[in-house]
């Protein structure tokens, strides 16, 4: 697949990029970049979690996802 970042603005559905506060900086920055490129993009950061926030802090992950879904 080519031109991934160039195609991101064409995503026509809401996107929520949830990352862990302890994840690698490049992963957190990619989430932010995606959210800025997508017309209806959002990021959320789960504290005390790294690459698998849904498993490392499931309650907070679920709260962030639920909050996002209630707004779209």
């Amino acid at each position: 697949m080519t031109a991934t970042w160039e195609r991101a603005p064409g995503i026509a559905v809401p996107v929520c990029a949830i990352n862990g506060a302890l994840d690698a900086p490049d992963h957190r920055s990619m989430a932010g970049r995606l959210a800025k490129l997508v017309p209806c993009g959002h990021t959320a950061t789960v504290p005390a979690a790294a690459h698998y926030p849904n498993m490392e802090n499931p309650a907070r992950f679920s709260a962030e996802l639920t909050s996002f879904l209630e707004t779209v």
Side-chain angles (χ1 to χ4, degrees):
M1 205 163 275
T2 60
T4 303
W5 291 114
E6 290 80 8
R7 291 192 332 262
I11 296 174
V13 297
V15 171
C16 183
I18 302 176
N19 55 54
L22 305 176
D23 203 353
D26 63 323
H27 285 242
R28 294 191 317 267
S29 69
M30 285 187 286
R33 183 178 179 188
L34 177 63
K36 288 178 185 172
L37 288 172
V38 173
C40 190
H42 174 76
T43 59
T45 301
V46 175
H51 195 63
Y52 299 103
N54 60 319
M55 293 188 289
E56 297 169 41
N57 193 340
R60 181 63 180 267
F61 177 89
S62 295
E64 293 291 351
L65 182 57
T66 299
S67 175
F68 172 74
L69 292 174
E70 289 174 346
T71 66
V72 293

